[in-house]
Amino acid sequence: MASLLYRLGKFSFRHRWWFLSSWLVVLLAVGGAFAAFSAPTTNNFTIPGSESQRVLDDLREKNPDASGGSGTIVFESADGGEFTAAEREAISQTVADLGALDFLKSATDPFQSQQQLDGAAGQAEQGKAEIEASRAQLDAAKAQLDGAAAQLEASRQQSALAEYQAEQLEATGQTESANAIRAQLAQLDAAEEQLAQQRQAYDDGVAKLADGEKQLEQGQRLAEATSGLRFVSEDGSAAFTRLQFSESSHAVTPEQRQEVQDVGNEAADAGVNVSFSKEIVEDVSSLFGPSEVIGVAMAAVVLMLMLGTLVAAGLPLLMAIVGVGAGVGITMALTGVVEMSSISPMLALMLGLAVGIDYSLFIINRHRTQLLQGMDLEESAGRATGTSGNAVLFAGLTVVIALAALAVPGLPFLTVMGLAAAGTVAVAILVALTLTPAFLGFIGNRILSKRAWARAADADARALAAAAPGTAAKAGQEKSRRWGRLVTRHPVVMLVLSVLLLGTMAVPAMDLRVGLPDGGSEPVDSTAFQAYDTLGEKFGEGINGPVIVVGYLPEGLTETESTDLQLDVVDSLTAIEDVRTAVPASTSEDGTLVVFQVIPEEGPAAESTEELVHTIRADADEIKASTGVEVAITGQTGINIDVSDKLMEAMPVYLLIVVGLSLILLLLVFRSILVPLLATGGFLLSLAASFGAVVAVYQWGWLGNIFDVQNPAAVLSFLPIILIGVLFGLAMDYQMFLVSGMREAYVHGEDARTAVRTGFDHASRVVTAAAIIMVSVFAGFIFSHLTMVRPIGFALAIGVLLDAFVIRMTFIPAAMHLLGKSAWWIPAWLERILPDVDVEGAKLQAPEPPKQPQADGELAEAVR
């Protein structure tokens, strides 16, 4: 591979215009595809096949009105007092205008809804009084019926004698008297008929009273269930309206979200403070913000300090921009056919910038060193690509493989995320190996400063450069040598300090909880945070994240029977700990599917809410046994918890895959048993410490004022698995560049302990610069405009910082110096069967003898 890349480097150098033109065509094609096919990204995460997703699919089929996306608008009086009549009218009018938007299914008027809730108790009392009055009337009617029945019965007992008398009178010819008696008997029959009708009316009244009592009972139960639900705060200073979109959240366009905000802000004209929930204002259309630019600017400063010229410093940045432009552009173009979370292009952008700068820097640094040794420009470009470029290829492939392995958990959004980032890193590798040597041809000798060329003209400086490859600045090399000597002079102390530092930092990781961000994670000055905070303060934290429970009712129920079952389920749900309110929200047309809204005591990311979801699922069989209704959970809160649980279940498997891959790759590269074990152990230490730092800042709130964490909560659910994959790949990058130099020196005959120092001196300066650049780029995302990106930027920045400086530049050289020759031990049989990957390109022919400048005029011409 080294020979092939050597030829590729020389070919790119000679045909630089062709490569430049080709990459310009690629960028234009990608830009066209992006403009034609890109679509909005989303922050909704689902798990196909999970309970929450299955229930959501049922909901969309049977009750589509309840399956669209939703959002909340919060209104608050400007002075904190009760709403005035004008403010109430302005809010109601705003809600009416919102309801007229064709992409909204509904917008509830908070004052009408609250009036209905408040009137429920009064209606129940009125209904109770009416029931009592009806019961009294029925009791009186019954008494009258009983009296009339008794009289009628007495008369009926005498009717047989009267009939006999009538017959006797007819027999004696007294027909008139007989007819009079028979007329009295007919009146008795009519009275019986009238009594039967009165008795039927009484029975109807009893049945109606029973229905009324049943309705009253159901009304009282419903009123009791909704007693903890409000749409207007108790002090009358705040209200909120729920918006129901016609489509799912990811299908709501930025223009529609903006229209909702424009209409919602009409109430502000009346002096009402209006704030919108995260679902309404979240904008994931922009990838780059001011903080990211600052991170790239910091990387540029590091490059300038290291390389000494604007031209040399600008080249790695240019290569990174080309790689990111192509990789992220392709990713965004695919959003038209693949549903993609906003974090996917952001992760691709983050990694593309970092590795794009570093990979080009490794090749450029090797090229500069070889030029100072007197090597020809074309030969140097080829050899830099064949040596450092070979290491870049191998190291980059580890990053690509680790990211592609994010498909292992089987979560579509995570698979897309990993493949998008892996694809962008692959493009960055291709740019580094093809376009970088081409630009080395364009730049020529200007890749080095005049001061560097002047130093090279001095024989002593040339000898120093030849003795210490990889260095163009004496001061920087001396610093790295001093650190390398300090580490190897006190290896036990350095090992103990490294382990103690990382072990201490890892302690908070034992309290790791994961979840997805909500409005409470937004910046405190954002409207999303203000809406979340106001709702929590005025209506209780749980209103920000209701748990959606779907009940499956038997078929063929009457309305009363259905209502009874719904209220039985409500009673079962309300009895569960940490449930504040549970109410039936909507029913499907066929009456077999009911949506219950469960308001927890705490917010959607709270540990108690997570436990509540698990408890409801655990009690589902018991609820079905007592009510006959099968219940299941869906909705954003339930789905978010499912995603977090699934990711935590998958993380150990993914970690084992990454650790196994690490051991195999390092065994191939370094042909040693202990070196891969040390490298992997160090990776696990830095990973645990990074987890601890993330928990301390984003879950515990330490240094929250510095990192703008005002409402600490659970850690972003997919951060741990992303951190494992990315940090593994980057850690292996630095491991290869540092330790491969140690191996090369050892193989070429140096003592094992001396080789540790030689290899460290060979690569420490460029690795230091590369690590600082990566940390700078990642740190630029800590204050990203996308809240979900912030903890990822922090985790990657602290992870690279710890792994590069504590593990690779302290722990590893100290351990290897202690181990000495045994660090390179490998069984003979295993060495025979292992392929020789030659990462550093050691098999390339030795460099040509340095060319001595013939005259000062020749050196000056070279500089020009």
Side-chain angles (χ1 to χ4, degrees):
M1 183 58 72
S3 299
L4 177 62
L5 292 177
Y6 167 75
R7 292 193 296 271
L8 175 62
K10 295 187 72 170
F11 183 81
S12 301
F13 185 94
R14 289 195 301 268
H15 300 85
R16 44 190 173 270
W17 283 108
W18 186 89
F19 276 91
L20 176 60
S21 302
S22 298
W23 276 106
L24 285 175
V25 170
V26 169
L27 290 176
L28 289 174
V30 169
F34 167 74
F37 305 115
S38 64
T41 56
T42 178
N43 275 341
N44 291 322
F45 304 96
T46 59
I47 306 178
S50 66
E51 175 187 301
S52 56
Q53 185 60 45
R54 173 181 61 80
V55 176
L56 184 60
D57 293 339
D58 288 345
L59 199 59
R60 287 170 177 166
E61 178 183 351
K62 293 188 175 183
N63 194 6
D65 288 342
S67 62
S70 63
T72 304
I73 302 179
V74 181
F75 305 97
E76 191 173 15
S77 62
D79 59 1
E82 189 173 353
F83 287 120
T84 64
E87 290 173 337
R88 295 167 70 95
E89 183 179 352
I91 293 171
S92 296
Q93 183 59 51
T94 299
V95 173
D97 294 341
L98 287 167
L101 297 177
D102 56 4
F103 53 85
L104 286 180
K105 288 180 182 176
S106 64
T108 58
D109 187 315
F111 301 110
Q112 291 182 1
S113 300
Q114 188 61 51
Q115 186 177 9
Q116 293 173 357
L117 288 177
D118 293 340
Q123 290 173 359
E125 289 299 322
Q126 182 180 353
K128 185 177 180 181
E130 292 175 353
I131 290 293
E132 292 298 330
S134 297
R135 182 179 288 112
Q137 291 176 356
L138 285 173
D139 290 343
K142 188 174 187 305
Q144 292 177 354
L145 282 174
D146 291 342
Q151 292 176 0
L152 189 62
E153 181 62 26
S155 298
R156 180 59 65 187
Q157 289 176 358
Q158 296 176 359
S159 63
L161 178 61
E163 180 65 29
Y164 175 76
Q165 290 175 346
E167 291 176 355
Q168 291 297 318
L169 290 171
E170 284 180 346
T172 58
Q174 301 180 31
T175 305
E176 185 175 348
S177 297
N179 289 339
I181 293 174
R182 293 189 187 282
Q184 291 176 357
L185 291 175
Q187 291 176 358
L188 183 61
D189 291 339
E192 285 184 344
E193 180 66 24
Q194 183 179 7
L195 180 62
Q197 292 176 357
Q198 291 175 348
R199 193 178 297 279
Q200 182 61 48
Y202 172 78
D203 291 341
D204 291 343
V206 170
K208 186 177 180 181
L209 177 63
D211 289 342
E213 288 176 334
K214 189 64 177 178
Q215 292 177 5
L216 177 63
E217 178 195 355
Q218 292 178 341
Q220 288 174 329
R221 292 175 68 185
L222 186 60
E224 183 179 350
T226 58
S227 60
L229 182 66
R230 297 192 64 85
F231 294 90
V232 179
S233 63
E234 291 185 357
D235 62 2
S237 65
F240 70 91
T241 179
R242 293 282 194 197
L243 305 182
Q244 188 78 27
F245 291 95
S246 300
E247 303 293 336
S248 59
S249 296
H250 72 271
V252 181
T253 66
E255 293 76 19
Q256 290 172 335
R257 297 176 195 272
Q258 186 58 52
E259 189 172 357
V260 168
Q261 295 174 58
D262 292 340
V263 176
N265 280 321
E266 291 176 359
D269 296 337
V272 178
N273 294 330
V274 183
S275 52
F276 303 89
S277 69
K278 180 182 177 182
E279 296 83 2
I280 296 175
V281 298
E282 189 172 48
D283 182 11
V284 295
S285 59
S286 175
L287 294 181
F288 231 77
S291 63
E292 290 88 341
V293 175
I294 294 173
V296 174
M298 291 174 63
V301 171
V302 174
L303 287 169
M304 185 65 193
L305 292 175
M306 178 187 178
L307 301 178
T309 68
L310 285 173
V311 173
L315 183 54
L317 288 173
L318 178 61
M319 297 299 97
I321 292 171
V322 172
V324 164
V328 177
I330 293 172
T331 299
M332 292 301 296
L334 291 174
T335 56
V337 294
V338 178
E339 183 177 328
M340 191 176 298
S341 66
S342 63
I343 201 67
S344 296
M346 286 299 299
L347 182 63
L349 172 66
M350 196 184 305
L351 292 177
L353 280 174
V355 302
I357 293 173
D358 278 6
Y359 290 167
S360 293
L361 174 62
F362 290 137
I363 295 174
I364 293 167
N365 183 70
R366 184 68 176 245
H367 177 64
R368 284 161 51 91
T369 299
Q370 292 167 168
L371 291 183
L372 287 176
Q373 294 173 352
M375 191 177 292
D376 175 70
L377 277 170
E378 181 178 334
E379 176 67 19
S380 177
R383 194 170 296 279
T385 308
T387 53
S388 291
N390 195 30
V392 163
L393 176 62
F394 205 89
L397 286 177
T398 63
V399 180
V400 170
I401 293 171
L403 290 171
L406 288 174
V408 170
L411 303 180
F413 76 88
L414 191 64
T415 299
V416 172
M417 193 184 305
L419 293 179
T424 302
V425 172
V427 172
I429 296 170
L430 192 58
V431 169
L433 296 178
T434 59
L435 198 57
T436 299
F439 266 87
L440 292 179
F442 286 119
I443 295 174
N445 287 313
R446 288 174 296 169
I447 198 70
L448 286 161
S449 65
K450 294 181 180 180
R451 181 180 299 176
W453 280 117
R455 191 183 302 116
D458 182 82
D460 292 338
R462 185 181 296 278
L464 177 61
T471 303
K474 181 178 180 180
Q477 181 61 50
E478 286 301 317
K479 289 180 181 178
S480 67
R481 281 182 173 178
R482 285 198 296 269
W483 180 252
R485 287 169 182 161
L486 177 64
V487 170
T488 53
R489 190 176 294 121
H490 307 286
V492 175
V493 174
M494 290 299 179
L495 273 176
V496 172
L497 289 178
S498 299
V499 173
L500 282 177
L501 172 63
L502 297 181
T504 303
M505 291 186 65
V507 170
M510 299 175 66
D511 192 36
L512 175 66
R513 278 199 320 109
V514 297
L516 287 171
D518 50 39
S521 304
E522 297 294 312
V524 292
D525 58 347
S526 67
T527 182
F529 179 86
Q530 291 166 5
Y532 183 95
D533 188 56
T534 301
L535 282 174
E537 179 184 350
K538 299 291 186 178
F539 301 94
E541 290 289 338
I543 200 70
N544 282 297
V547 177
I548 304 301
V549 177
V550 173
Y552 295 87
L553 273 63
E555 296 181 355
L557 296 177
T558 65
E559 183 177 349
T560 300
E561 291 171 338
S562 175
T563 302
D564 273 341
L565 284 182
Q566 292 178 39
L567 291 172
D568 289 343
V569 173
V570 165
D571 291 340
S572 298
L573 293 173
T574 306
I576 298 175
E577 186 178 1
D578 292 319
V579 171
R580 181 172 183 175
T581 303
V583 293
S586 65
T587 306
S588 62
E589 290 186 4
D590 62 5
T592 60
L593 188 148
V594 180
V595 176
F596 299 91
Q597 191 175 70
V598 178
I599 309 297
E601 290 288 351
E602 296 187 279
E607 188 173 2
S608 63
T609 303
E610 181 180 347
E611 289 299 322
L612 172 60
V613 169
H614 294 152
T615 301
I616 293 175
R617 285 178 171 158
D619 292 349
D621 291 340
E622 183 179 338
I623 293 174
K624 184 175 182 180
S626 61
T627 65
V629 179
E630 178 185 351
V631 296
I633 289 178
T634 188
Q636 199 59 55
T637 300
I639 290 174
N640 289 353
I641 292 173
D642 283 350
V643 169
S644 300
D645 290 345
K646 180 71 173 178
L647 286 169
M648 290 303 288
E649 290 174 7
M651 190 172 69
V653 177
Y654 182 69
L655 182 59
L656 285 175
I657 292 173
V658 167
V659 169
L661 179 64
S662 169
L663 292 172
I664 294 172
L665 287 175
L666 295 175
L667 182 65
L668 289 173
V669 172
F670 300 117
R671 312 181 78 78
S672 162
I673 297 296
L674 293 179
V675 170
L677 292 175
L678 281 175
T680 304
F683 159 69
L684 293 175
L685 270 175
S686 59
L687 179 67
S690 302
F691 281 163
V694 170
V695 170
V697 173
Y698 290 91
Q699 185 175 319
W700 291 359
W702 291 6
L703 305 178
N705 292 333
I706 296 177
F707 295 103
D708 197 19
V709 182
Q710 305 299 327
N711 189 24
V715 173
L716 183 66
S717 57
F718 47 80
L719 186 153
I721 204 165
I722 287 178
L723 180 60
I724 290 172
V726 175
L727 187 59
F728 161 72
L730 301 181
M732 295 307 103
D733 283 3
Y734 299 139
Q735 178 78 8
M736 289 177 188
F737 281 103
L738 275 168
V739 182
S740 59
M742 300 177 189
R743 173 171 174 78
E744 186 177 1
Y746 175 72
V747 170
H748 289 166
E750 286 193 15
D751 172 75
R753 288 185 169 85
T754 304
V756 172
R757 290 184 178 178
T758 301
F760 188 92
D761 292 343
H762 173 77
S764 60
R765 185 168 179 266
V766 68
V767 167
T768 299
I772 293 175
I773 289 169
M774 275 208 178
V775 171
S776 300
V777 172
F778 291 146
F781 289 84
I782 294 176
F783 300 98
S784 172
H785 62 294
L786 296 178
T787 307
M788 197 175 293
V789 175
R790 295 182 174 191
I792 296 179
F794 175 84
L796 293 179
I798 195 71
V800 170
L801 184 69
L802 294 174
D803 194 88
F805 294 106
V806 180
I807 295 298
R808 307 305 151 189
M809 299 186 69
T810 305
F811 177 86
I812 293 296
M816 293 190 66
H817 189 271
L818 278 176
L819 290 171
K821 186 177 180 179
S822 60
W824 303 107
W825 175 82
I826 185 173
W829 64 268
L830 182 58
E831 185 170 19
R832 284 195 300 271
I833 64 175
L834 287 177
D836 188 358
V837 294
D838 188 23
V839 174
E840 275 292 316
K843 291 185 178 180
L844 291 178
Q845 64 179 12
E848 299 175 358
K851 297 180 180 179
Q852 301 292 336
Q854 297 178 359
D856 292 344
E858 180 179 335
L859 180 60
E861 180 63 28
V863 173
R864 287 196 293 270

PDB file of all heavy atoms in Angstrom, residues 749-766:
ATOM      1  N   GLY A 749      17.179  -1.142  15.138  1.00  0.00           N
ATOM      2  CA  GLY A 749      18.323  -1.481  15.965  1.00  0.00           C
ATOM      3  C   GLY A 749      18.477  -0.717  17.254  1.00  0.00           C
ATOM      4  O   GLY A 749      19.395  -0.995  18.027  1.00  0.00           O
ATOM      5  N   GLU A 750      17.630   0.236  17.539  1.00  0.00           N
ATOM      6  CA  GLU A 750      17.775   0.983  18.781  1.00  0.00           C
ATOM      7  C   GLU A 750      17.311   0.132  19.972  1.00  0.00           C
ATOM      8  O   GLU A 750      16.467  -0.751  19.829  1.00  0.00           O
ATOM      9  CB  GLU A 750      16.963   2.279  18.732  1.00  0.00           C
ATOM     10  CG  GLU A 750      17.574   3.354  17.861  1.00  0.00           C
ATOM     11  CD  GLU A 750      16.918   4.709  18.089  1.00  0.00           C
ATOM     12  OE1 GLU A 750      16.212   4.858  19.108  1.00  0.00           O
ATOM     13  OE2 GLU A 750      17.121   5.607  17.254  1.00  0.00           O
ATOM     14  N   ASP A 751      17.859   0.450  21.132  1.00  0.00           N
ATOM     15  CA  ASP A 751      17.405  -0.180  22.370  1.00  0.00           C
ATOM     16  C   ASP A 751      15.929   0.160  22.577  1.00  0.00           C
ATOM     17  O   ASP A 751      15.481   1.252  22.221  1.00  0.00           O
ATOM     18  CB  ASP A 751      18.247   0.345  23.534  1.00  0.00           C
ATOM     19  CG  ASP A 751      17.710  -0.117  24.876  1.00  0.00           C
ATOM     20  OD1 ASP A 751      17.899  -1.292  25.218  1.00  0.00           O
ATOM     21  OD2 ASP A 751      17.067   0.717  25.555  1.00  0.00           O
ATOM     22  N   ALA A 752      15.173  -0.774  23.166  1.00  0.00           N
ATOM     23  CA  ALA A 752      13.724  -0.603  23.290  1.00  0.00           C
ATOM     24  C   ALA A 752      13.367   0.676  24.044  1.00  0.00           C
ATOM     25  O   ALA A 752      12.442   1.393  23.664  1.00  0.00           O
ATOM     26  CB  ALA A 752      13.124  -1.810  23.999  1.00  0.00           C
ATOM     27  N   ARG A 753      14.091   0.975  25.115  1.00  0.00           N
ATOM     28  CA  ARG A 753      13.764   2.176  25.886  1.00  0.00           C
ATOM     29  C   ARG A 753      14.192   3.441  25.139  1.00  0.00           C
ATOM     30  O   ARG A 753      13.499   4.467  25.179  1.00  0.00           O
ATOM     31  CB  ARG A 753      14.418   2.104  27.266  1.00  0.00           C
ATOM     32  CG  ARG A 753      13.749   1.078  28.192  1.00  0.00           C
ATOM     33  CD  ARG A 753      14.326   1.090  29.588  1.00  0.00           C
ATOM     34  NE  ARG A 753      13.511   0.309  30.523  1.00  0.00           N
ATOM     35  CZ  ARG A 753      13.618  -0.997  30.683  1.00  0.00           C
ATOM     36  NH1 ARG A 753      14.545  -1.668  29.979  1.00  0.00           N
ATOM     37  NH2 ARG A 753      12.838  -1.644  31.517  1.00  0.00           N
ATOM     38  N   THR A 754      15.313   3.367  24.467  1.00  0.00           N
ATOM     39  CA  THR A 754      15.744   4.519  23.662  1.00  0.00           C
ATOM     40  C   THR A 754      14.780   4.757  22.517  1.00  0.00           C
ATOM     41  O   THR A 754      14.487   5.907  22.152  1.00  0.00           O
ATOM     42  CB  THR A 754      17.161   4.275  23.109  1.00  0.00           C
ATOM     43  OG1 THR A 754      18.050   3.992  24.192  1.00  0.00           O
ATOM     44  CG2 THR A 754      17.651   5.496  22.348  1.00  0.00           C
ATOM     45  N   ALA A 755      14.274   3.664  21.936  1.00  0.00           N
ATOM     46  CA  ALA A 755      13.332   3.786  20.824  1.00  0.00           C
ATOM     47  C   ALA A 755      12.059   4.507  21.244  1.00  0.00           C
ATOM     48  O   ALA A 755      11.415   5.181  20.432  1.00  0.00           O
ATOM     49  CB  ALA A 755      12.988   2.397  20.286  1.00  0.00           C
ATOM     50  N   VAL A 756      11.654   4.366  22.520  1.00  0.00           N
ATOM     51  CA  VAL A 756      10.472   5.071  22.998  1.00  0.00           C
ATOM     52  C   VAL A 756      10.692   6.576  22.891  1.00  0.00           C
ATOM     53  O   VAL A 756       9.832   7.315  22.408  1.00  0.00           O
ATOM     54  CB  VAL A 756      10.154   4.673  24.456  1.00  0.00           C
ATOM     55  CG1 VAL A 756       9.047   5.560  25.028  1.00  0.00           C
ATOM     56  CG2 VAL A 756       9.740   3.215  24.529  1.00  0.00           C
ATOM     57  N   ARG A 757      11.861   7.038  23.312  1.00  0.00           N
ATOM     58  CA  ARG A 757      12.152   8.476  23.228  1.00  0.00           C
ATOM     59  C   ARG A 757      12.272   8.929  21.784  1.00  0.00           C
ATOM     60  O   ARG A 757      11.770   9.998  21.401  1.00  0.00           O
ATOM     61  CB  ARG A 757      13.451   8.783  23.969  1.00  0.00           C
ATOM     62  CG  ARG A 757      13.340   8.651  25.480  1.00  0.00           C
ATOM     63  CD  ARG A 757      14.634   9.065  26.157  1.00  0.00           C
ATOM     64  NE  ARG A 757      14.529   8.990  27.610  1.00  0.00           N
ATOM     65  CZ  ARG A 757      15.524   9.266  28.430  1.00  0.00           C
ATOM     66  NH1 ARG A 757      16.715   9.641  27.947  1.00  0.00           N
ATOM     67  NH2 ARG A 757      15.363   9.179  29.736  1.00  0.00           N
ATOM     68  N   THR A 758      12.938   8.116  20.965  1.00  0.00           N
ATOM     69  CA  THR A 758      13.111   8.492  19.563  1.00  0.00           C
ATOM     70  C   THR A 758      11.766   8.620  18.859  1.00  0.00           C
ATOM     71  O   THR A 758      11.510   9.604  18.145  1.00  0.00           O
ATOM     72  CB  THR A 758      13.980   7.444  18.841  1.00  0.00           C
ATOM     73  OG1 THR A 758      15.244   7.358  19.483  1.00  0.00           O
ATOM     74  CG2 THR A 758      14.167   7.824  17.379  1.00  0.00           C
ATOM     75  N   GLY A 759      10.925   7.628  19.043  1.00  0.00           N
ATOM     76  CA  GLY A 759       9.607   7.691  18.414  1.00  0.00           C
ATOM     77  C   GLY A 759       8.770   8.840  18.943  1.00  0.00           C
ATOM     78  O   GLY A 759       8.032   9.488  18.179  1.00  0.00           O
ATOM     79  N   PHE A 760       8.873   9.096  20.218  1.00  0.00           N
ATOM     80  CA  PHE A 760       8.139  10.209  20.802  1.00  0.00           C
ATOM     81  C   PHE A 760       8.608  11.530  20.200  1.00  0.00           C
ATOM     82  O   PHE A 760       7.795  12.381  19.815  1.00  0.00           O
ATOM     83  CB  PHE A 760       8.341  10.220  22.316  1.00  0.00           C
ATOM     84  CG  PHE A 760       7.470  11.214  23.039  1.00  0.00           C
ATOM     85  CD1 PHE A 760       6.235  10.845  23.523  1.00  0.00           C
ATOM     86  CD2 PHE A 760       7.894  12.529  23.236  1.00  0.00           C
ATOM     87  CE1 PHE A 760       5.426  11.754  24.188  1.00  0.00           C
ATOM     88  CE2 PHE A 760       7.097  13.443  23.892  1.00  0.00           C
ATOM     89  CZ  PHE A 760       5.854  13.053  24.372  1.00  0.00           C
ATOM     90  N   ASP A 761       9.932  11.712  20.095  1.00  0.00           N
ATOM     91  CA  ASP A 761      10.465  12.943  19.513  1.00  0.00           C
ATOM     92  C   ASP A 761      10.069  13.082  18.048  1.00  0.00           C
ATOM     93  O   ASP A 761       9.868  14.186  17.549  1.00  0.00           O
ATOM     94  CB  ASP A 761      11.996  12.948  19.629  1.00  0.00           C
ATOM     95  CG  ASP A 761      12.452  13.073  21.076  1.00  0.00           C
ATOM     96  OD1 ASP A 761      11.630  13.468  21.925  1.00  0.00           O
ATOM     97  OD2 ASP A 761      13.626  12.751  21.365  1.00  0.00           O
ATOM     98  N   HIS A 762       9.931  11.938  17.379  1.00  0.00           N
ATOM     99  CA  HIS A 762       9.634  11.943  15.951  1.00  0.00           C
ATOM    100  C   HIS A 762       8.237  12.492  15.665  1.00  0.00           C
ATOM    101  O   HIS A 762       8.036  13.212  14.686  1.00  0.00           O
ATOM    102  CB  HIS A 762       9.754  10.506  15.415  1.00  0.00           C
ATOM    103  CG  HIS A 762       9.324  10.354  13.996  1.00  0.00           C
ATOM    104  ND1 HIS A 762      10.104  10.743  12.935  1.00  0.00           N
ATOM    105  CD2 HIS A 762       8.181   9.855  13.449  1.00  0.00           C
ATOM    106  CE1 HIS A 762       9.467  10.491  11.802  1.00  0.00           C
ATOM    107  NE2 HIS A 762       8.301   9.944  12.087  1.00  0.00           N
ATOM    108  N   ALA A 763       7.258  12.175  16.520  1.00  0.00           N
ATOM    109  CA  ALA A 763       5.867  12.498  16.185  1.00  0.00           C
ATOM    110  C   ALA A 763       5.158  13.377  17.199  1.00  0.00           C
ATOM    111  O   ALA A 763       4.042  13.819  16.934  1.00  0.00           O
ATOM    112  CB  ALA A 763       5.075  11.198  16.024  1.00  0.00           C
ATOM    113  N   SER A 764       5.779  13.653  18.341  1.00  0.00           N
ATOM    114  CA  SER A 764       5.046  14.320  19.413  1.00  0.00           C
ATOM    115  C   SER A 764       4.569  15.714  19.027  1.00  0.00           C
ATOM    116  O   SER A 764       3.453  16.115  19.376  1.00  0.00           O
ATOM    117  CB  SER A 764       5.911  14.401  20.677  1.00  0.00           C
ATOM    118  OG  SER A 764       7.104  15.122  20.417  1.00  0.00           O
ATOM    119  N   ARG A 765       5.412  16.438  18.284  1.00  0.00           N
ATOM    120  CA  ARG A 765       5.031  17.813  17.984  1.00  0.00           C
ATOM    121  C   ARG A 765       3.836  17.880  17.034  1.00  0.00           C
ATOM    122  O   ARG A 765       2.889  18.631  17.250  1.00  0.00           O
ATOM    123  CB  ARG A 765       6.211  18.562  17.384  1.00  0.00           C
ATOM    124  CG  ARG A 765       5.919  20.055  17.162  1.00  0.00           C
ATOM    125  CD  ARG A 765       7.190  20.812  16.840  1.00  0.00           C
ATOM    126  NE  ARG A 765       6.888  22.215  16.612  1.00  0.00           N
ATOM    127  CZ  ARG A 765       6.656  22.748  15.411  1.00  0.00           C
ATOM    128  NH1 ARG A 765       6.699  21.967  14.352  1.00  0.00           N
ATOM    129  NH2 ARG A 765       6.398  24.030  15.277  1.00  0.00           N
ATOM    130  N   VAL A 766       3.857  17.071  15.997  1.00  0.00           N
ATOM    131  CA  VAL A 766       2.748  17.097  15.049  1.00  0.00           C
ATOM    132  C   VAL A 766       1.485  16.509  15.670  1.00  0.00           C
ATOM    133  O   VAL A 766       0.374  16.981  15.425  1.00  0.00           O
ATOM    134  CB  VAL A 766       3.127  16.365  13.742  1.00  0.00           C
ATOM    135  CG1 VAL A 766       3.277  14.868  13.973  1.00  0.00           C
ATOM    136  CG2 VAL A 766       2.074  16.614  12.665  1.00  0.00           C
TER     137      VAL A 766
END
